[in-house]
Amino acid sequence: MSLLEFENVTLKFGGLTAVNDLSFEVEEGEVFAIVGPNGAGKSTVFNLISRFYDPYAGRIRFDGHDLLQVKPSGVAAYGVARTFQNIELFDHATVLDNLLVGRHRHRRTSLLSELFFTPSVKKQELQNRHVVEEIIDFLDLQPYRDKMIAGLPYGVRKVVEVARALATEPKLLLLDEPASGLSVEETTDMRWWIDDIRRQMGITVLMVEHDMGLVSGVSDRVLAMADGAKLALGTPAEVQSDPAVIEAYLGRAA
Amino acid sequence: MRIVFKTDYMQDIRPWKDGHQLSLYLILLALVVVAPWILNDFYLGELTNVLIWAIAGLGLMILTGHTGQASLGHAAFLAMGCYANVILLEQGVPFVLAFPLAGLITGIVGALVALPAMRLHGIYLAIFTMALSILVDDIIVLTEPWSGGVSGKYVGPVSLFGLEIDRWGTPWAFYWLVLGVTVAVTLGYINLLRSPMGRSFIAVRDSEVSAQAMGVDVARTKTMSFGLSCMVTGWAGALMGLYATVFNNETFTVIISIQLLMMIVIGGLGSIHGAFLGAVVIGFLPQFLSISKEYVGMVFGGSSVAIPGLEVGVFGLILIAFILFEPMGLYGRWLKIRTWFELFPFYRKDMFKRQKSYLKTERLR
């Protein structure tokens, strides 16, 4: 059984078909990339997994659970974490607090015990901080840990978002354009991190990315999309040489 | 500048940064505890008033400052706390039970009110809550048999563990009661902010979309925030009732709601300090105005006629000035001054300028 299964998923916004009868599977432990021109429906796939949209038809299963049965806030509990294309951090909180929000799905204490900060809350907090500090170490965020997000440069925010997603200790990590707006060095860093996330942490990664260097460098399989439908699926080299993909990007030869 | 070298997770969990900071707060606490011996009855009464406002401010701060939901209706919850407390007392419930219950009832009602309010954002939520505040006047008149309607209610001294607490007869006892509630609420607030629930409030304030993706149930979190906020406000209302001793449908007007919101904006949104600093401004400003009016009258020989709307006008001016020149409020200004001294002479002009945010994800759905 695959970790994530898309089965004939269709999503329509009025007359526009954003995702058209899309099926694919993401296997446990792989890095799976989705590529495609703008408006192909890549981010929409992510938003479907996050349950921000309800599909018109089809099924989405994650780890044996029917994802369509849960609320948007319930997706994280199954072990799916994500980043956003346009960075959605908590701007008026510190990096540390942002990461700690990522620990929310592991909350076991009640409001009442938190108001009195009972020993069990304290124990949970120590545990949360232990996990978060490991991630800060892993992604080299030490210089920023007590800084407000609102004052941080773009590149750092991108990394903080990945860190926050990792803090949830997910099984599946969704990265929406992790390298967009990053410099060449930052993109290289990101590439090693994605590799380490998969190898050291054993987290399956599903990412949307335009940077083909990054995509072919880290991903095991690539799904190419255009106009909401599947164009090609295979290894990076296969997809890049697929005539349908070349046509979607460059247009038909005259 | 003192730099704290962190070697232990507890240093981040503890509410104080280091021993120095802790000792400053302990000194402050000691000062306010012995205030009845230092201040005369008039100033003690004023200080009590400020503390009650601070509790109400803490209540609204939970909702507006930390969860980002503007409310122009918190006077309604002040009224509810006040009436609940007094009606329970009249039914013979001892104060030690009636007071917590008054807050609890207000909190539950607040959470229920939150359910329809959940779908509203920003200005619409403000209008909805403002309507509540206006409605409460009529509700009090309509429920005359319990609330006393237009003729109002009177609440006498209460007794707590055999100690008679009379706002006029034993102002020190009343002061300590208010102080005790203030300290308890503040400690609870600090604990909230350093635990998952408080952080989820902040998450909802800053980005609902990603809060959801992190597993925070936005609707539930907002309901919790409303409930907690209203509970604390209800306690403030109960104390306000005891402080005023007489009140009717016109005591908790929509103006009070607006003043409350102004108070936390002036103090500094999103900080516990802000609620207290704002309360000092709101609590002392009327006295300050009347004293300075007398002074102006004495020096320039003007009359002592009351100027209608002076207080509200000055409040408005202060609010506009704050929004224009110091959106971070008094607490933000204090942070800047402190940093200036700590870094002297290296403070840069735009150190606190924040780049607000990069392009935001458009509202989903």
Side-chain angles (χ1 to χ4, degrees), chain B residues 242-284:
Chain B
L242 292 175
Y243 182 75
T245 63
V246 279
F247 50 88
N248 69 355
N249 60 320
E250 285 177 355
T251 310
F252 302 98
T253 59
V254 70
I255 296 292
I256 303 276
S257 290
I258 295 170
Q259 273 188 342
L260 254 178
L261 190 63
M262 273 166 54
M263 179 175 108
I264 60 170
V265 172
I266 291 172
L269 280 176
S271 66
I272 295 176
H273 294 86
F276 283 92
L277 294 173
V280 170
V281 174
I282 288 277
F284 282 136

Side-chain angles (χ1 to χ4, degrees), chain B residues 68 86-87 97 116 132 184 199 216 224 235 253 258 314 353 359:
Chain B
V86 172
I87 291 169
L97 275 180
L132 274 183
R199 286 195 294 262
V216 175
M224 284 279 191
W235 282 329
T253 59
I258 295 170
V314 173
K353 255 217 171 105
L359 183 66

Side-chain angles (χ1 to χ4, degrees), chain B residues 14-334:
Chain B
R14 256 179 241 134
W16 56 89
K17 204 167 71 183
D18 52 15
H20 177 76
Q21 199 188 26
L22 175 67
S23 57
L24 284 181
Y25 282 108
L26 287 179
I27 290 169
L28 178 68
L29 184 67
L31 273 178
V32 286
V33 167
V34 300
W37 286 289
I38 306 170
L39 300 173
N40 65 29
D41 281 0
F42 172 75
Y43 281 105
L44 192 64
E46 288 306 309
L47 189 57
T48 312
N49 187 32
V50 166
L51 287 181
I52 295 173
W53 274 97
I55 299 170
L58 287 171
L60 186 58
M61 190 67 88
I62 297 175
L63 188 65
T64 305
H66 280 110
T67 321
Q69 312 296 310
S71 167
L72 276 173
H74 261 52
F77 301 110
L78 282 175
M80 196 171 296
C82 172
Y83 277 92
N85 180 42
V86 172
I87 291 169
L88 283 170
L89 284 174
E90 282 173 352
Q91 299 303 317
V93 181
F95 179 71
V96 65
L97 275 180
F99 180 72
L101 271 178
L104 217 57
I105 292 169
T106 316
I108 291 168
V109 173
L112 290 177
V113 163
L115 294 177
M118 218 82 291
R119 300 183 171 279
L120 304 171
H121 284 274
I123 188 88
Y124 304 102
L125 182 65
I127 292 169
F128 173 84
T129 47
M130 190 167 178
L132 274 183
S133 199
I134 294 167
L135 266 179
V136 81
D137 184 341
D138 296 320
I139 292 172
I140 293 170
V141 176
L142 287 172
T143 54
E144 215 236 284
W146 305 291
S147 67
V150 181
S151 43
K153 271 196 182 295
Y154 166 79
V155 54
V158 291
S159 83
L160 183 67
F161 304 124
L163 177 68
E164 173 124 310
I165 297 176
D166 182 354
R167 185 239 182 289
W168 301 112
T170 52
W172 46 272
F174 185 65
Y175 170 76
W176 277 333
L177 168 72
V178 173
L179 183 64
V181 177
T182 314
V183 171
V185 168
T186 310
L187 290 180
Y189 204 146
I190 292 170
N191 284 341
L192 179 76
L193 287 184
R194 57 185 177 140
S195 49
M197 189 40 95
R199 286 195 294 262
S200 67
F201 286 180
I202 293 173
V204 167
R205 176 190 70 188
D206 285 355
S207 168
E208 286 188 18
V209 182
S210 63
Q212 241 170 13
M214 294 297 118
V216 175
D217 186 334
V218 173
R220 192 167 157 268
T221 307
K222 281 187 188 172
T223 313
M224 284 279 191
S225 174
F226 251 99
L228 273 181
S229 166
C230 293
M231 182 170 82
V232 173
T233 312
W235 282 329
L239 291 173
M240 242 175 227
L242 292 175
Y243 182 75
T245 63
V246 279
F247 50 88
N248 69 355
N249 60 320
E250 285 177 355
T251 310
F252 302 98
T253 59
V254 70
I255 296 292
I256 303 276
S257 290
I258 295 170
Q259 273 188 342
L260 254 178
L261 190 63
M262 273 166 54
M263 179 175 108
I264 60 170
V265 172
I266 291 172
L269 280 176
S271 66
I272 295 176
H273 294 86
F276 283 92
L277 294 173
V280 170
V281 174
I282 288 277
F284 282 136
L285 193 69
Q287 315 306 333
F288 173 77
L289 281 181
S290 67
I291 291 168
S292 52
K293 209 163 71 185
E294 253 171 52
Y295 179 76
V296 169
M298 246 160 46
V299 174
F300 298 103
S303 64
S304 57
V305 207
I307 308 167
L310 175 72
E311 201 183 303
V312 183
V314 173
F315 271 139
L317 278 180
I318 292 178
L319 185 69
I320 292 169
F322 265 97
I323 289 174
L324 279 181
F325 303 114
E326 187 55 272
M328 289 165 77
L330 281 172
Y331 184 58
R333 173 55 52 181
W334 158 242

